[in-house]
Amino acid sequence: NAGVTQTPKFRILKIGQSMTLQCTQDMNHNYMYWYRQDPGMGLKLIYYSVGAGITDKGEVPNGYNVSRSTTEDFPLRLELAAPSQTSVYFCASSYMWGAGEKLFFGSGTQLSVL
Amino acid sequence: GIQVEQSPPDLILQEGANSTLRCNFSDSVNNLQWFHQNPWGQLINLFYIPSGTKQNGRLSATTVATERYSLLYISSSQTTDSGVYFCAVRTGNTPLVFGKGTRLSVIA
């Protein structure tokens, strides 16, 4: 089992460019999440999905879009990148929701917008 | 929404020392997890502990749900324990909310 795999690990974007952060998991988890981590802060939820075809906004969704066409994949799209989106992005998955849920994280994508 | 406060924000220990990290939360929870983020950024789930006490080697955790706090104990600390420790909680049907973390540095 590879677990949760994120690509790329590092990326530098120019202001106004777009990109997609890839996330895939091989644990057959229904629930997937995108978080961002800014220096000295905890993780803030961007978007989450409770299954293929279903997504919902988290705490900080502005400037991002997601899709969930398969159980395995949950890509995060940045449109018109801004310096405020410089952060480390983590994808996570879990096999259940609520009590008993345990999160499994990918290794992160460090994104700089210059 | 629920508030999560972790203390202390930073902690420096000599190797071999013990430490206690605290997580306070503002509402009743049905899920509480502790995570360790190592210096390379990897996040590892340490404990799922919405109530009670659990132990895993030199680490143990206790959650007193009625008083809305959880404690993470690290005994005989090692340099490999360095990193950031996060507490995350869930109330009702909302997604997990993370605290800002405690940054631990263990010095040889």
Side-chain angles (χ1 to χ4, degrees), chain B residues 12-17 77-80 82 105-108:
Chain B
I12 300 175
L13 295 177
Q14 201 74 34
E15 197 170 29
S77 58
Q78 301 175 358
T79 55
T80 52
S82 295
S105 300
V106 181
I107 300 171

Side-chain angles (χ1 to χ4, degrees), chain A residues 37 42 97-98 100-101 103 107, chain B residues 31 33 37 48 86 90 93 99:
Chain A
Q37 182 181 22
W97 177 271
E101 172 189 23
L103 286 186
S107 57
Chain B
N31 189 323
Q33 299 179 45
Q37 186 173 37
Y48 165 76
F86 290 105
R90 174 196 294 279
N93 200 33

Side-chain angles (χ1 to χ4, degrees), chain A residues 94-109:
Chain A
S94 64
Y95 56 87
M96 62 185 296
W97 177 271
E101 172 189 23
K102 289 179 65 174
L103 286 186
F104 296 86
F105 281 91
S107 57
T109 295

